[in-house]
Amino acid sequence: MNRINLLLLLISVLVYPCAADAKDGVFLEYMNLSDDGLMTLHGGDTVSGLYQETELRTIYLEFAQANWWQLLTWNYITDTDIPANLIFEGVTYPGVGVRFRGNTSYMMVMNSLKKSFNITIDYTDPDQKLMGYKTLNLLNSNADASFLHEVLFFTIARNYIPCPKANFVKLVINGVNWGVYINSQQDNSDLIDEWFLSDDGDRWKAVSGGGIAMNPQIPDSLRTNPQIFGLNKDAERPNQGGGGNPGGGFASGEKALMWLGSNTSAYQAAYELKTAHSADPWASLIRTCDILNNYPLEQLPDSLVTVMDVDRWLWFLAVENVFADDDGYLVKGADYLLYFEPESGRLHPIEHDGNESFLARSVNLSPYDGETNVNRPVISRLLAVPEFRQRYNAHVRTIISDFLDWAVLEPKISAYRALIEEEVKGDSIKLYSDREFENSFTQLENFVTSRRSYLLSLNEINRQAPVIISVSCENVNGNNNSALPLNSVAVTATIGGAVVTGEVNLYYASGLTGPFLHSRMFNDGAHGDGKAGDGTWGGFIPSSLTGAAVRYYIEARASDDAGTTAYSPSGAEHDVYYYSTAVKVAEDTPVVINEFMALNKSTIQDPQGDYDDWIELKNVSTREVDLTGMYLSDSPGNPRKWAFPEGTTISPGAWLIIWADEDGGDEPGLHANFKLSGDGESILLVDTDDRSNQILDSVEYETQEADISYGRYPDGGDAFITLSAPTPASANESNPSDIDESTPQDFILKQNFPNPFNNSTMISFTLPEKEFVELDIYSVLGHKVGTAARGYYNAGSHNVTWDGRDERGNELASGIYFYRLKAGIYTKTCRMMFLR
């Protein structure tokens, strides 16, 4: 599968910043294209970097304090770090913070040295990261003699739901071998960035307990004297099985999305708010709990999906159940995370723990465990809705087929074992004996084979569903990724199998996230489906606006009494088919973006007296232009972000100021519903809906300085420069000395202009000294397709034109391309869009 920038291939993004300046998080790590390019696949990709699973790396910790173990023990209750140096692959990371972590994994091992550790890489240096990460969790494999459960569970779960990464590391402390640890990714903003469009949403953790100080089962003598834990390094190790039932004592549902009333304080006591980006983060959580618990069941299919990603929750429940995870929502109603996605307004689950999965005692766990438990409303309420229940059953069948199969898991488990076995057997402080380690692999095999056999013995799970043989999208351009806007798109599905198909539905959505709509498909010969009764079903996706990314998938229901269901792709709704509608760029425009200021600190006040960002438009035509129904946006993925109010006009040669202050309909003045980023982004001027939302003008800018504007020079012309003085609502002026860089100091590669372009585009660069230049063009897959410049260029500014042809003079297809400039020691890459 090809790792892609989700904006590159799912949205016809209009203007791209240079790659070196792209904001962290623009790339969704877990979104890929299928090999045939027709599906987006969310999850399951091979992990590289810090969490690569095929290599056992060593982490060295060096404490300067002789009593470091005692300090860590004393600090356990308060979660206070102590400093240490970390050495990894020959590089020293000074001043990291270290503390013990975990609840049961700390308590149950008692005097053992094999504690779990949390390491804060940026403890003393906020910019310090280890291979891109600022926090490490090193887990002691409590309750898992194989060391494999968490890594294996997370590797599987990432195919279906947002879930951390995990791998194996060896830990050495002050020169002493501390053995193998599970290196589990911290569930923080880095994780959110990898799975979602942004990390701008509110996030909670449903915590299962509060450590020694909060746990009523811990005697007062231990709560007030926690240092007795682990201080005697020579003490005999306790019973290594961990003992007890870690899931016990958590049967209540306060943290399981139960309705706790409308009082915010009840939820604040139950959930730990990890990040808050909205003014009232609790409102969305309370609203979700209200609908989930209080609305009639028959209303949930329409109402709940607007506040909760129901399909993702069903996958979440299915993964936990199939692999008998004893440490999550299913058993505890806790130890999981919640993320409110601002782009869709919906609540998502995130997996948190995995060491207590693959439990032998739960091999016959019912897939419907919890369906009558009012303390588990996500289970009991969702499974009580027939269509949700059948969707859940389909997901369980997919997981069984994909992974609950010893023939599938054995090679991976054997590879893990080979990687760690020697180190595990050489670990003198591990929690389990060598024999327990060896026996654990037989136990894993028994679990997988027995669990599979049990689940497939159940009538609901083993019922045959229709077989979706093929799906095709016949749009106006005859391919799957270039539909024209404002045209419906025909979709057909060939359905077979041993059961009679009673109903086929086409689910579709515009954009990268949010709930799907659906419509019926027919096998009647009247819906683009061929002949009536031939097994081919047809339907139509309504027209979409320009630049839209359209996701879709097929649902087929049997005509049996349950409506046994199948999906294509089987991983829907995270794996889906897609196409994108073409971006239209106006050949000419009467109005241009003429000037803007992204950091207005003291230059000009809006009518309300605030120093807000502003955008200036100029009418470059000889007639009055009515802007009614046109749009301004700072998001290529949402070009219709703010619409000009009815009656907004701009006279010939005149200027118009729009305040980018998120104040929407504030009066007087024109106030957009977005602000400009001082770190750089896009500004788009977009035509009306009935003119296909053509892009009238766009500008991409980089980091801005306070009270400095960026505008066209000369006024209304082609080139943007940094103006010597802001000129809101008047002609742009600039000192020529600001433009003439006769002695350039820096290497600069500018965004091509225009972008997107139809026939040719200009690429500008500046060299601080004479260099041999190679300016090459690459496809999104990294293949070199053309050369725009090659040879020696003197110091100074240069303009090169590229005509959209390869080195043989053949016209290239429309799409996203990269241009890379190499000049001596300098290299920089930018992106552009070519439209024919």
Side-chain angles (χ1 to χ4, degrees):
M1 292 182 292
N2 301 316
R3 172 75 44 84
I4 60 166
N5 177 340
L6 81 99
L7 294 180
L8 287 180
L9 290 171
L10 295 186
I11 296 180
S12 298
V13 177
L14 311 177
V15 185
Y16 291 90
C18 290
D21 302 320
K23 173 188 178 293
D24 289 344
V26 168
F27 294 91
L28 263 187
E29 177 160 345
Y30 287 109
M31 183 166 281
N32 309 276
L33 273 187
S34 60
D35 290 335
D36 60 11
L38 304 182
M39 291 189 291
T40 64
L41 310 176
H42 199 170
D45 199 24
T46 301
V47 174
S48 59
L50 180 63
Y51 295 97
Q52 180 180 333
E53 299 167 10
T54 57
E55 184 177 349
L56 182 65
R57 296 182 170 112
T58 301
I59 293 175
Y60 299 86
L61 285 178
E62 295 183 351
F63 293 94
Q65 308 94 322
N67 64 337
W68 60 271
W69 185 266
Q70 188 174 41
L71 293 173
L72 288 174
T73 306
W74 284 343
N75 289 351
Y76 171 70
I77 294 178
T78 60
D79 281 345
T80 303
D81 290 346
I82 68 170
N85 288 339
L86 183 149
I87 299 92
F88 183 77
E89 298 188 339
V91 178
T92 298
Y93 298 82
V96 304
V98 183
R99 59 180 172 84
F100 290 141
R101 74 172 305 282
N103 189 0
T104 55
S105 66
Y106 182 90
M107 306 291 184
M108 304 308 294
V109 302
M110 299 297 288
N111 288 346
S112 171
L113 298 180
K114 197 76 173 184
K115 304 290 188 185
S116 296
F117 296 91
N118 177 278
I119 303 176
T120 305
I121 304 298
D122 59 351
Y123 181 57
T124 57
D125 179 358
D127 296 324
Q128 183 168 260
K129 289 187 177 184
L130 177 61
M131 296 187 75
Y133 294 91
K134 56 189 177 184
T135 305
L136 302 183
N137 290 309
L138 304 186
L139 310 183
N140 61 2
S141 195
N142 178 56
D144 173 20
S146 73
F147 283 81
L148 263 62
H149 290 187
E150 182 129 352
V151 177
L152 184 62
F153 179 69
F154 281 1
T155 299
I156 295 170
R158 284 199 308 274
N159 287 272
Y160 309 109
I161 56 175
C163 177
K165 308 168 192 170
N167 65 348
F168 308 100
V169 296
K170 177 182 175 180
L171 179 64
V172 176
I173 303 179
N174 282 11
V176 178
N177 181 14
W178 236 257
V180 172
Y181 274 79
I182 291 92
N183 177 31
S184 181
Q185 184 182 3
Q186 177 81 353
D187 40 33
N188 55 15
S189 60
D190 293 332
L191 177 66
I192 300 299
D193 248 352
E194 291 169 356
W195 284 94
F196 297 90
L197 294 181
S198 73
D199 61 355
D200 296 333
D202 307 315
R203 178 167 50 93
W204 299 263
K205 184 176 182 181
V207 186
S208 61
I212 295 176
M214 302 293 291
N215 193 331
Q217 297 178 358
I218 302 299
D220 288 342
S221 60
L222 301 188
R223 189 157 41 243
T224 55
N225 297 284
Q227 62 268 30
I228 72 173
F229 280 108
L231 286 183
N232 183 1
K233 300 181 184 179
D234 299 321
E236 182 179 353
R237 203 179 311 144
N239 178 9
Q240 300 306 319
N245 179 2
F250 298 99
S252 64
E254 287 86 355
K255 303 170 184 180
L257 297 189
M258 283 185 65
W259 173 244
L260 306 179
S262 57
N263 193 325
T264 300
S265 61
Y267 298 87
Q268 291 173 330
Y271 302 87
E272 180 184 358
L273 181 62
K274 305 295 287 188
T275 57
H277 289 286
S278 64
D280 184 7
W282 299 99
S284 59
L285 179 60
I286 294 172
R287 173 66 171 160
T288 302
C289 293
D290 182 18
I291 294 176
L292 174 64
N293 291 274
N294 300 329
Y295 277 39
L297 289 175
E298 60 270 18
Q299 293 183 17
L300 293 187
D302 293 326
S303 58
L304 191 58
V305 295
T306 64
V307 297
M308 182 179 188
D309 190 333
V310 171
D311 183 76
R312 182 161 269 174
W313 279 94
L314 292 172
W315 279 110
F316 176 74
L317 298 177
V319 168
E320 286 205 342
N321 188 288
V322 169
F323 295 102
D325 180 20
D326 199 50
D327 198 1
Y329 185 91
L330 180 65
V331 174
K332 292 184 176 181
D335 264 5
Y336 67 99
L337 279 84
L338 295 162
Y339 179 66
F340 176 77
E341 182 183 42
E343 291 83 3
S344 69
R346 301 194 298 173
L347 203 65
H348 294 254
I350 298 174
E351 193 58 68
H352 171 65
D353 221 337
N355 67 306
E356 294 179 48
S357 53
F358 300 94
L359 294 184
R361 68 171 181 266
S362 299
V363 70
N364 291 332
L365 175 71
S366 168
Y368 312 108
D369 188 75
E371 67 175 329
T372 61
N373 185 353
V374 295
N375 290 341
R376 298 292 181 272
V378 177
I379 302 174
S380 59
R381 295 282 288 173
L382 295 190
L383 296 190
V385 178
E387 66 182 80
F388 291 166
R389 188 183 187 92
Q390 292 309 315
R391 183 179 285 262
Y392 170 80
N393 286 339
H395 295 346
V396 169
R397 285 192 289 270
T398 296
I399 296 170
I400 293 172
S401 175
D402 289 348
F403 287 104
L404 195 64
D405 185 334
W406 188 245
V408 173
L409 290 183
E410 190 278 332
K412 183 175 287 292
I413 290 172
S414 294
Y416 287 161
R417 179 177 181 175
L419 184 67
I420 66 173
E421 184 165 15
E422 182 179 350
E423 288 294 341
V424 168
K425 290 185 174 180
D427 179 2
S428 62
I429 65 169
K430 60 179 178 288
L431 301 178
Y432 302 90
S433 68
D434 289 350
R435 176 171 294 182
E436 288 173 306
F437 172 75
E438 292 168 352
N439 290 342
S440 67
F441 297 98
T442 301
Q443 294 167 5
L444 263 174
E445 180 178 2
N446 290 339
F447 173 88
V448 172
T449 55
S450 298
R451 182 80 178 131
R452 177 185 177 88
S453 177
Y454 166 73
L455 290 174
L456 291 179
S457 73
L458 302 177
N459 289 334
E460 268 199 87
I461 300 300
N462 201 31
R463 296 185 74 160
Q464 292 207 34
V467 177
I468 305 173
I469 299 171
S470 64
V471 176
S472 63
C473 174
E474 302 253 343
N475 60 47
V476 293
N477 283 348
N479 55 55
N480 211 47
N481 59 3
S482 185
L484 290 179
L486 305 181
N487 287 275
S488 61
V489 173
V491 177
T492 57
T494 303
I495 313 294
V499 299
V500 176
T501 301
E503 181 179 321
V504 179
N505 291 303
L506 172 60
Y507 284 77
Y508 56 89
S510 182
L512 296 173
T513 188
F516 285 78
L517 301 173
H518 70 275
S519 60
R520 292 286 297 272
M521 300 181 75
F522 297 91
N523 185 16
D524 58 2
H527 291 80
D529 56 305
K531 297 180 180 180
D534 64 355
T536 298
W537 299 65
F540 296 91
I541 299 175
S543 61
S544 301
L545 296 172
T546 182
V550 180
R551 298 168 288 143
Y552 68 98
Y553 66 94
I554 306 298
E555 175 189 69
R557 299 178 183 174
S559 61
D560 59 19
D561 56 353
T564 308
T565 302
Y567 294 94
S568 182
S570 60
E573 297 179 349
H574 57 273
D575 295 344
V576 291
Y577 300 106
Y578 91 99
Y579 62 84
S580 58
T581 57
V583 176
K584 285 193 172 183
V585 180
E587 294 184 2
D588 192 18
T589 175
V591 179
V592 298
I593 300 167
N594 197 52
E595 185 180 0
F596 68 89
M597 181 178 286
L599 291 172
N600 178 20
K601 301 297 185 182
S602 60
T603 298
I604 182 175
Q605 293 175 302
D606 69 4
Q608 289 71 35
D610 299 320
Y611 289 98
D612 289 318
D613 307 339
W614 51 272
I615 302 165
E616 176 195 82
L617 302 184
K618 179 179 175 63
N619 184 345
V620 294
S621 74
T622 58
R623 58 180 177 83
E624 181 178 81
V625 176
D626 186 357
L627 300 175
T628 302
M630 295 184 186
Y631 301 92
L632 268 183
S633 176
D634 66 339
S635 172
N638 182 15
R640 302 165 68 243
K641 197 165 190 178
W642 178 76
F644 283 90
E646 181 77 26
T648 304
T649 62
I650 181 170
S651 301
W655 303 270
L656 182 68
I657 296 294
I658 299 92
W659 301 98
D661 55 7
E662 293 184 340
D663 287 339
D666 204 359
E667 293 180 343
L670 294 173
H671 299 263
N673 60 358
F674 59 86
K675 292 183 178 181
L676 299 180
S677 171
D679 295 328
E681 60 176 343
S682 306
I683 306 175
L684 315 172
L685 177 63
V686 180
D687 212 341
T688 59
D689 294 350
D690 59 3
R691 290 196 288 266
S692 303
N693 299 127
Q694 299 180 93
I695 307 306
L696 297 176
D697 195 18
S698 64
V699 59
E700 181 75 22
Y701 65 90
E702 299 181 0
T703 303
Q704 300 291 292
E705 297 182 38
D707 295 310
I708 301 295
S709 68
Y710 195 53
R712 294 181 183 273
Y713 187 81
D715 190 59
D718 290 334
F720 270 88
I721 67 168
T722 300
L723 299 177
S724 58
T727 59
S730 60
N732 296 343
E733 298 178 354
S734 186
N735 186 330
S737 63
D738 295 330
I739 305 170
D740 182 16
E741 301 180 22
S742 57
T743 310
Q745 300 296 315
D746 299 316
F747 170 77
I748 300 171
L749 177 63
K750 296 183 178 180
Q751 187 65 53
N752 64 302
F753 185 86
N755 185 38
F757 64 98
N758 294 97
N759 297 312
S760 64
T761 188
M762 184 173 67
I763 301 172
S764 301
F765 58 91
T766 300
L767 302 177
E769 56 189 348
K770 184 178 181 179
E771 295 284 6
F772 184 81
V773 166
E774 297 174 84
L775 181 57
D776 296 320
I777 313 298
Y778 293 85
S779 71
V780 292
L781 299 182
H783 303 306
K784 181 180 173 182
V785 296
T787 299
R790 185 177 299 273
Y792 282 97
Y793 283 75
N794 292 323
S797 297
H798 304 276
N799 298 320
V800 173
T801 298
W802 183 58
D803 61 1
R805 297 176 182 271
D806 63 19
E807 291 176 307
R808 296 181 179 180
N810 300 315
E811 292 185 348
L812 293 170
S814 297
I816 303 300
Y817 292 89
F818 294 84
Y819 55 97
R820 185 181 69 180
L821 179 65
K822 293 179 66 177
I825 63 173
Y826 306 106
T827 301
K828 194 169 186 181
T829 303
C830 290
R831 300 181 289 269
M832 59 184 169
M833 169 167 278
F834 178 40
L835 299 175
R836 286 210 177 276

